[in-house]
């Protein structure tokens, strides 16, 4: 297939949909690739590099008109759509919910279009999920930008010149961006607190070493597809209250709360901003969708009573090469799915293709039917696993019935058996209880040695053989018991010896160092 | 020596055995524990010898012969053959119980009435349990040493067969107690032994190789009960105490193993995992072409860049005897300040704690060897996880797919880490015969080959 990589015209955009490394892969897969002049010059991918990778560098017009499939990052603007000949195909971000006019035009030009932002949230599709790969970068960069405007160290230090406490970072929204921000802030040495309306993410947050903030709320914020949903008024007030309290002790706030297809929720009203100490920084990653902070100016740096508010709208583009690399990888995976044999094959049976297809042959396919449910747990968190872990042999009823049976048996024994037997039975039951309690604590690594040692001591049956052999007069009994003594002794000696051998091997680091000294 | 004195010494021996088991619970005290056991056993044997004045020389000769045989076996056995050794030793206890039972019966006793009846029942039960332990352990040994097929042999209606044999045992028992002459009784005792032997074989033959850790610890428990029942028969408290200790210890180990597989004990014994051969997996059948295959050199690159590495070994490591290579790899990584941890699943290998013993043999310090529950929370921080010859214990389907035959079985959740490298001979399924979607995950790399060879190649590439 003939593929076209075009230059981004969106203001401030430095990314490109495919870096030379990615183009090389496409060429190797048998595609012919045309790259618009200067497509990658803002992310250190020169035209020469593309040529070296096997692409043909062409004029703008050619890059749009020649290929069967044009790939780019941003949705095409009006000029760009005009360049695209009728009936061709396009892969880019589309945001169909917000861009009905664009869809209408794509439909009118009978263009087959796929939206990179409509990858379904299923495991198989993860490698193609540009939203994840790009927002991860946004989270990372948000911390760095925040740090740049923050006038102190992140890491707590005690130096000859005095002592400085660690910075306190509050991250709101623990999606991909939030999690990346947590990790970055932790790496810089900050103390991190995190709030998210979806309780299940608590475990992920804590696994990154951050503290999870909770409010008493009956409402879970988990919406369709693993994204957050809009919250009711009451929980919103509770959130604002929580943030206002936290503000007094916070140096950097990063907000990442987005609701698909809706304006960003208001998380930081003016009074919360004013509760922050002067010198604090807010990075509002939702600026493009209106902002999580009341005072955010998209694309601007605002100073409100000493608090700096950053509202970056194209933060992924600040790491242009990294972001482009990831985009390229994502798109390559999708291309492989879309054209397994080199030619485009729009297989509507495939969940991923069906979800991403926006228009085709003059018809709109969005929104798709049968949105697949996200796989849970996403990338495998055990807490959300739908399969419950049974407690084998331990259901309450069974346990009590077992206890009752034992008790009944014991009483029966008491009623019928002679005194001698009762004595033995007493010893037996007590020994069972002792054995039960003693062995429970055994560490897993010693199971085998424990088994070998119990094996050795169950060779105590040798005693039976000895006593019988020594007190008998009959030949048959003598030989039988001698045989018993023989096999039991193998057990006794073999068991203890092998245990000893095993235990000798178990050594800790400490033992080792002691041994060398 | 008076009888009272002997009882006291038995008591001391019993207490020493308890200390022994308690000591074995922790690494630091384990050697003391073993020592306590040896002392207890020694004084018990000496006192028993001092109790009566019979043909001491013959008994000493039997013990000496047993000691020599035991010592030879124990000092020769390779650590990866430990499961077999433990299994065969169990069978000896069972055999001894049978022999003692017959000897006691032939010696006869002069009690009467209820007491006589109880003695008879005790003898009968001791022989039955001993015989089941004996043949069951031999079968387990055969399966573990691959003399017998590891596959579960499931006869149609096998639970009915088991039940039938149990009924037959009771029937023979009733007849045994009611028989008039010693010859008649002996006849029934033979029947008892025969049926119990067959029952032992049938019980264990029906259990698949993957469940062997449970079987071995269950037989461990049986051998304890056999000793305890012999104690009842001989009116010897020390035998009862020791038997009960061993019996309950083995039972707990079996329980722990079962929990490791999220299965009930009854399920392991009576209903093996159905071999669905990949069915019930993720619904998609995938092959080698769907996974990302890497070579040892690339694995070495990954390791060189990693700061934290976890190694999850399975039976494949034991089979390939790769533990020494793994140990040297660990040493090398640690020398370069990479943190290395081992994650051990309860049922990895064919014996409880099998992996730990192998790693200890290869000189891996035990404090970096963690259990499943200890390592799971930290796996997300691992840069690289090496899965060496493990399959059913690192299967995400068990947690994510309720249809999976191993659904609910706790797993070492390696897929949470940044990169997983799976060392594997081929794409074959594990013992449970279940497909493993781990191999097709985005962050999984497959490195095919014999575990030992691959580890050596990685070591070479790291130099």
């Amino acid at each position: 297939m003939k593929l076209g990589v075009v230059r981004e015209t969106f203001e401030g955009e430095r990314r490109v949909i495919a870096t030379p490394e990615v183009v090389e892969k496409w060429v190797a897969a048998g595609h012919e690739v045309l790259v618009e002049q200067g497509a990658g010059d803002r992310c250190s991918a020169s035209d020469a590099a593309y040529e070296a990778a096997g692409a043909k560098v062409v004029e703008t017009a050619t890059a749009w008109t020649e290929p069967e499939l044009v790939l780019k990052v941003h949705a095409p603007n009006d000029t760009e759509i005009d360049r695209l000949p009728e009936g061709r195909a396009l892969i880019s971000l589309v945001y169909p919910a917000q861009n009905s006019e664009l869809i209408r035009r794509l439909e009118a030009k009978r263009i087959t279009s796929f939206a990179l932002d409509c990858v379904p949230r299923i495991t198989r599709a993860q490698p193609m999920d540009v939203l994840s790969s790009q927002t991860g970068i946004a989270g990372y960069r948000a911390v760095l930008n925040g740090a740049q405007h923050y006038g102190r160290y992140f890491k707590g230090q005690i130096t000859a010149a005095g002592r400085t406490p660690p910075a306190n970072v509050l991250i709101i929204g623990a999606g991909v961006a939030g999690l990346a921000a947590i990790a970055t802030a932790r790496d810089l040495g900050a103390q991190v607190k995190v709030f998210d309306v979806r309780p299940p993410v608590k475990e992920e947050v804590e696994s990154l070493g951050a503290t999870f903030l909770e409010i008493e709320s009956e409402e879970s914020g988990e919406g369709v597809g693993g994204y957050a949903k809009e919250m009711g008024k009451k929980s919103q007030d509770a959130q604002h209250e929580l943030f206002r309290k936290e503000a007094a002790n916070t140096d950097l706030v990063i907000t990442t709360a987005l609701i698909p297809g809706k304006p960003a929720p208001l998380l930081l009203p003016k009074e919360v901003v004013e509760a922050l100490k002067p010198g604090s920084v807010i990075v509002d990653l939702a600026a493009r969708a209106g902002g999580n902070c009341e005072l955010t100016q998209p694309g601007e740096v605002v100073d409100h009573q000493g608090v700096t508010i950053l509202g970056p709208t194209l933060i992924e583009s600040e790491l242009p090469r990294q972001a482009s690399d990831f985009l390229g990888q994502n798109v390559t995976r999708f291309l492989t799915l879309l054209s397994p044999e080199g030619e485009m094959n729009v297989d509507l049976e495939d969940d991923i293709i069906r979800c991403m297809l926006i228009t085709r042959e003059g018809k709109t396919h969005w929104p798709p039917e049968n949105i697949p449910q996200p796989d849970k747990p996403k990338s495998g968190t055990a807490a959300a696993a739908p399969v419950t872990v049974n407690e084998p042999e331990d259901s309450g009823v069974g346990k009590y019935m077992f206890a009752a049976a034992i008790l009944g048996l014991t009483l029966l024994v008491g009623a019928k058996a002679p005194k001698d037997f009762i004595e033995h039975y007493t010893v037996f039951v007590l020994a069972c209880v002792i054995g039960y309690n003693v062995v429970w604590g055994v560490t897993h690594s010693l199971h085998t040695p424990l088994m070998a040692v119990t094996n050795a001591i169950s060779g105590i049956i040798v005693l039976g053989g000895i006593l019988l052999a020594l007190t008998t007069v009959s030949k048959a009994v003598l030989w039988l018991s001698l045989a018993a003594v023989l096999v039991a002794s193998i057990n006794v000696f073999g068991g203890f010896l092998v245990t000893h051998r095993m235990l000798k091997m178990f050594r800790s680091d400490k033992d080792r160092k002691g041994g060398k000294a | 020596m008076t009888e009272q004195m002997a009882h006291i010494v038995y008591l001391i021996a019993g207490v020493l055995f308890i200390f022994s088991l308690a000591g074995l619970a922790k690494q630091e005290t384990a050697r003391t524990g073993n020592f306590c056991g040896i002392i207890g056993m020694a004084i018990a044997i000496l006192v028993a010898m001092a109790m009566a004045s019979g043909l001491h020389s013959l008994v000493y000769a039997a013990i000496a012969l047993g000691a020599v045989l035991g010592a030879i076996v124990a000092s020769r056995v390779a650590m990866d053959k430990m499961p077999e050794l433990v299994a065969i030793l169990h069978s000896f206890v069972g055999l001894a119980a049978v022999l003692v039972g017959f000897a006691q019966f032939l010696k006869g006793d002069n009690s009467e009435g209820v007491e006589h009846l109880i003695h008879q029942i005790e003898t009968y039960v001791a022989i039955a349990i001993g015989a089941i332990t004996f043949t069951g352990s031999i079968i387990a040994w055969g399966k573990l040493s691959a003399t017998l097929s590891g596959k579960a042999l499931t006869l149609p209606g096998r639970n009915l067969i088991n039940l039938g044999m149990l009924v037959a045992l009771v029937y023979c028992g009733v007849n045994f107690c009611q028989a008039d002459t010693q010859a008649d009784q002996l006849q029934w005792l033979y029947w008892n032994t025969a049926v119990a032997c067959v029952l032992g074989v049938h019980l264990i033959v029906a259990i698949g190789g993957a469940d062997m850790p449970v079987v071995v610890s269950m037989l461990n428990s049986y051998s304890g009960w056999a000793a305890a029942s012999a104690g009842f028969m001989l009116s010897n408290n020390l035998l009862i105490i020791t038997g009960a200790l061993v019996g309950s210890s083995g039972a707990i180990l079996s329980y722990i193993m079962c929990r490791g597989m999220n299965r009930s004990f009854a399920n392991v014994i009576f209903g093996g995992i159905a071999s669905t051969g990949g069915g019930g997996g993720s619904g998609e059948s995938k092959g080698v072409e769907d996974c990302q295959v890497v070579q040892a050199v690339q694995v070495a690159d990954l390791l060189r860049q990693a700061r934290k590495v976890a190694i999850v070994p399975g039976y494949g490591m034991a089979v390939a005897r790769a533990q020494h290579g793994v140990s040297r790899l660990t040493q090398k990584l640690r020398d370069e300040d990479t943190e290395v941890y081992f994650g051990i699943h309860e049922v990895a290998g064919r014996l409880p704690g099998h992996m730990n013993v192998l790693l200890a043999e290869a000189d891996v310090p035990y404090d970096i060897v963690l259990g499943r529950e200890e390592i799971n929370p930290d796996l997300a921080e691992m840069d690289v996880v090496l899965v060496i010859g493990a399959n059913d214990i690192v299967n995400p389907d068990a947690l994510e797919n309720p249809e999976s035959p191993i659904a609910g079985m706790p797993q070492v959740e390696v897929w949470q880490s940044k990169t997983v490298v799976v060392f594997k001979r081929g794409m074959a399924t594990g013992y449970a015969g279940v497909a493993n979607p781990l191999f097709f995950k985005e962050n999984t790399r497959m490195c095919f080959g014999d575990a030992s060879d691959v580890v050596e190649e990685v070591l070479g590439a790291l130099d």
Side-chain angles (χ1 to χ4, degrees):
Chain A
M1 198 169 21
K2 213 178 234 187
L3 307 175
V5 173
V6 296
R7 193 172 197 272
E8 297 303 316
T9 52
F10 194 89
E11 200 194 333
E13 182 56 80
R14 297 166 64 192
R15 292 174 292 175
V16 62
I17 193 72
T19 50
E21 289 83 357
V22 172
V23 167
E24 199 173 344
K25 276 191 205 165
W26 295 355
V27 172
H31 297 296
E32 192 181 330
V33 186
L34 304 181
V35 178
E36 183 180 343
Q37 269 176 357
D41 57 3
R42 287 156 302 178
C43 63
S44 34
S46 65
D47 289 349
Y50 280 111
E51 267 172 352
K56 208 160 102 194
V57 175
V58 295
E59 301 276 325
T60 308
T62 325
W64 280 93
T65 50
E66 283 261 315
E68 294 156 67
L69 171 62
V70 171
L71 301 108
K72 70 190 302 297
V73 182
H74 286 276
N77 58 24
D78 290 351
T79 337
E80 287 170 333
I81 292 191
D82 288 341
R83 283 183 195 146
L84 202 57
E86 223 169 85
R88 297 292 168 82
L90 172 78
I91 296 180
S92 73
L93 294 172
V94 175
Y95 294 105
Q98 289 96 321
N99 289 332
S100 48
E101 174 60 21
L102 172 67
I103 295 179
R104 206 189 47 72
R105 295 203 55 183
L106 290 170
E107 192 185 271
K109 289 197 86 169
R110 304 182 64 81
I111 286 172
T112 307
S113 56
F114 298 93
L116 287 174
D117 48 292
C118 292
V119 176
R121 303 263 280 183
I122 55 179
T123 307
R124 192 165 62 91
Q126 269 188 13
M128 309 170 195
D129 193 351
V130 299
L131 294 186
S132 290
S133 74
Q134 301 298 299
T135 47
I137 290 172
Y140 165 82
R141 188 68 194 195
V143 175
L144 298 191
N145 286 2
Q148 198 180 359
H149 284 87
Y150 177 61
R152 293 167 174 274
Y153 275 136
F154 264 33
K155 192 183 231 127
Q157 294 183 357
I158 297 172
T159 73
R163 159 193 184 129
T164 164
N168 289 298
V169 176
L170 172 64
I171 293 171
I172 306 175
V176 179
L179 292 174
I182 297 171
T184 313
R186 291 272 306 156
D187 283 349
L188 288 176
Q191 290 181 337
V192 182
K193 288 182 182 175
V194 179
F195 177 81
D196 194 293
V197 288
R198 299 161 299 160
V201 300
K202 178 175 179 187
E203 199 184 75
E204 293 175 24
V205 166
E206 286 175 351
S207 75
L208 288 169
T211 316
F212 192 73
L213 299 173
E214 282 169 288
I215 47 172
E216 299 284 319
S217 163
E218 288 152 15
E219 195 180 359
S220 162
E222 184 133 24
V224 191
Y227 291 103
K229 63 169 194 200
E230 239 174 339
M231 302 295 281
K233 174 89 176 71
K234 216 169 120 191
S235 353
Q236 239 182 36
D237 287 347
Q239 281 175 25
H240 293 171
E241 180 55 29
L242 174 78
F243 298 150
R244 210 180 46 74
K245 258 196 285 179
E246 286 295 329
N249 193 26
T250 299
D251 302 303
L252 172 63
V253 185
I254 295 174
T255 64
T256 71
L258 283 168
I259 295 165
K262 297 242 169 82
L266 176 64
L267 300 174
L268 303 176
K270 199 168 159 208
E271 67 264 22
V272 175
V273 177
E274 283 168 0
L276 286 162
K277 289 171 289 190
S280 305
V281 181
I282 297 173
V283 183
D284 189 345
L285 284 183
R288 217 175 335 182
N292 292 135
C293 172
E294 195 179 346
L295 302 172
T296 298
Q297 301 286 338
E300 310 264 321
V301 177
V302 178
D303 187 321
H304 183 81
Q305 300 180 2
V307 177
T308 312
I309 305 162
L310 308 179
T313 50
L314 211 55
I315 193 164
E316 302 89 338
S317 194
E318 293 178 37
L319 243 62
R321 187 55 188 247
Q322 187 67 63
S324 303
D325 279 342
F326 281 173
L327 275 173
Q329 304 272 9
N330 293 144
V331 172
T332 305
R333 291 298 183 125
F334 179 62
L335 268 183
T336 319
L337 179 74
L338 187 64
S339 57
E341 250 111 68
E343 290 309 310
M344 198 189 312
N345 173 22
V346 184
D347 174 10
L348 289 178
E349 297 294 303
D350 189 288
D351 282 340
I352 300 177
I353 295 180
R354 196 177 62 243
C355 283
M356 292 173 67
L357 182 65
I358 304 296
T359 59
R360 186 184 178 212
E361 290 165 358
K363 272 196 229 124
T364 301
H365 287 259
W366 189 88
E369 292 159 14
N370 304 328
I371 304 173
Q373 278 305 301
D375 296 340
K376 277 193 170 185
K378 195 175 154 273
S379 72
T381 37
V387 184
T388 49
V389 173
N390 307 322
E391 275 291 311
E393 273 196 316
D394 213 9
S395 62
V397 184
K399 213 154 109 185
Y400 290 122
M401 272 172 54
F402 185 67
I406 297 282
L407 193 68
L409 198 70
T410 308
L411 290 177
L412 193 73
V413 166
K416 297 277 181 197
K419 186 167 153 286
D420 221 21
F421 182 82
I422 303 279
E423 271 176 31
H424 294 318
Y425 190 72
T426 310
V427 172
F428 175 72
V429 171
L430 290 179
C432 281
V433 173
I434 292 175
Y436 179 86
N437 281 303
V438 164
V439 174
W440 254 128
V442 66
T443 68
H444 176 253
S445 58
L446 283 171
H447 281 174
T448 296
L450 175 70
M451 203 166 276
V453 102
T454 52
N455 209 297
I457 66 173
S458 65
I460 191 71
I461 199 159
V462 74
L463 237 59
I466 294 175
L467 292 174
L468 281 170
L470 292 180
T471 52
T472 187
V473 283
S474 133
K475 270 268 147 64
V477 175
L478 178 67
W479 288 114
L480 277 176
S481 30
L482 282 179
V485 170
L486 175 66
V487 285
S489 315
I490 297 181
N491 230 338
V492 171
F493 287 90
F496 281 127
L497 197 64
V498 90
T499 312
H500 179 70
R501 258 186 77 193
M502 276 190 272
L503 292 178
K504 222 167 51 182
M505 297 181 320
F506 280 98
R507 288 190 301 167
S508 68
D509 268 355
K510 217 165 59 190
D511 295 347
R512 232 158 270 235
K513 282 180 194 123
K516 275 177 200 159
Chain B
M1 178 171 284
T2 64
E3 189 144 342
Q4 290 89 328
M5 196 57 204
H7 276 298
I8 292 302
V9 178
Y10 285 160
L11 177 65
I12 295 172
V15 170
L16 282 170
F17 288 154
I18 293 173
F19 284 161
S20 173
L21 291 198
L24 258 290
K26 275 205 218 80
Q27 296 280 7
E28 293 78 28
T29 53
R31 276 177 244 189
T32 324
N34 193 34
F35 190 62
C36 283
I38 295 176
I39 299 288
M41 186 62 76
I43 61 173
I45 291 180
L46 288 177
V47 167
M49 296 298 285
M51 278 294 289
S53 52
L55 288 162
H56 281 119
S57 52
L58 272 179
V59 176
Y60 277 125
I63 293 180
L65 186 57
V68 170
L69 290 178
I72 291 175
V73 175
S75 51
R76 290 246 176 108
V77 66
M79 278 306 143
D80 44 358
K81 295 274 180 275
M82 196 55 72
E84 288 100 298
L85 177 71
V86 171
I88 201 70
L89 287 180
H90 288 151
S91 82
F92 290 160
V93 178
L95 180 59
V98 174
L99 292 172
V100 169
F102 271 99
Q104 170 72 9
F105 171 74
L106 290 177
K107 188 179 164 219
D109 71 320
N110 34 22
S111 55
E112 278 176 10
V114 183
E115 210 168 322
H116 184 66
L117 179 67
I118 283 187
H119 278 171
Q120 284 190 328
I121 296 177
E122 285 166 354
T123 309
Y124 187 83
V125 170
I127 290 178
I129 298 182
I132 294 175
T133 313
F134 176 51
T135 53
S137 301
I138 287 182
I139 297 298
W141 170 79
K143 286 197 170 205
L144 288 166
S145 62
T147 314
L148 296 173
S149 155
K151 283 233 162 60
L153 172 79
T154 46
L155 299 176
R158 61 202 173 87
N159 290 339
L160 277 180
I161 298 179
N162 286 337
L163 193 68
M165 284 195 269
L166 219 54
V167 171
L169 279 181
V170 174
Y171 173 76
C172 294
V174 172
N175 278 308
F176 166 72
C177 293
Q178 286 172 349
D180 298 326
T181 65
Q182 207 192 22
D184 278 356
Q185 284 196 313
L186 199 57
Q187 205 69 40
W188 286 114
L189 221 44
Y190 286 146
W191 276 114
N192 169 26
T193 318
V195 174
C197 281
V198 176
L199 179 60
V201 171
H202 185 247
L203 266 181
I204 308 302
V205 147
I207 299 176
D211 289 332
M212 275 303 144
V214 180
V215 170
V216 174
S217 43
M218 185 182 84
L219 290 169
N220 183 247
S221 174
Y222 282 5
S223 72
W225 303 131
S229 52
F232 276 102
M233 180 174 79
L234 300 167
S235 299
N236 184 311
N237 274 339
L238 182 57
L239 279 184
I240 297 177
I241 294 174
T242 316
L245 285 177
V246 175
S248 48
S249 140
I252 289 170
L253 283 183
S254 317
Y255 173 78
I256 294 176
M257 294 300 117
C258 286
R259 204 174 43 174
M261 298 194 287
N262 191 40
R263 295 168 65 193
S264 74
F265 195 66
N267 180 281
V268 171
I269 305 300
F270 297 121
I273 288 185
S275 295
T276 48
S282 278
E284 303 162 54
S285 65
K286 294 179 170 180
V288 183
E289 60 276 10
D290 295 303
C291 41
Q292 306 175 55
V293 180
V294 293
Q295 302 302 322
V297 186
Q298 290 150 286
V299 179
D301 278 341
L302 280 170
L303 289 175
R304 217 175 275 130
Q305 286 159 20
R307 302 316 315 152
K308 281 180 122 180
V309 173
I311 300 178
V312 178
Y315 188 53
M317 182 184 84
V319 172
R321 298 171 148 276
Q323 64 267 29
H324 293 282
V326 170
S327 169
R328 271 181 290 132
L329 182 62
T330 309
Q331 195 54 47
K332 180 158 223 141
L333 292 172
R334 276 162 58 100
D335 286 345
E336 271 149 41
D337 286 331
T338 309
E339 289 178 50
V340 183
Y341 299 96
F342 283 81
I344 311 290
H345 194 281
E346 298 91 312
V347 296
R350 293 290 175 268
L351 187 70
H354 194 183
M355 290 299 127
N356 300 83
V357 171
L358 293 183
L359 292 176
E361 183 205 8
D363 242 6
V364 173
Y366 64 74
D367 24 19
I368 62 168
V369 180
L370 308 176
R372 170 179 60 81
E373 284 171 347
E374 292 168 298
I375 198 154
N376 265 347
D378 296 332
L379 281 173
E381 289 168 29
M382 297 294 167
D383 298 311
V384 177
V385 175
L386 299 180
V387 175
I388 304 180
N391 193 344
D392 296 333
I393 56 169
V394 290
N395 191 332
D397 249 12
L399 302 180
E400 293 170 7
N401 179 2
E403 310 281 293
S404 169
I406 54 170
M409 171 166 162
Q411 299 283 318
V412 183
E413 294 162 18
V414 294
W415 53 89
Q416 310 234 5
S417 65
K418 298 191 183 102
T419 311
V420 183
V421 181
V422 180
F423 291 173
K424 212 170 173 310
R425 273 167 296 182
M427 288 302 287
T429 52
Y431 237 130
V434 185
N436 193 342
L438 171 72
F439 305 153
F440 312 108
K441 289 226 175 213
E442 170 65 5
N443 56 343
T444 303
R445 306 284 179 275
M446 301 297 291
C447 187
F448 292 110
D450 174 83
S452 192
D453 296 344
V454 175
V455 169
E456 292 301 329
E457 282 170 37
V458 172
L459 269 168
L462 274 176
D463 278 326

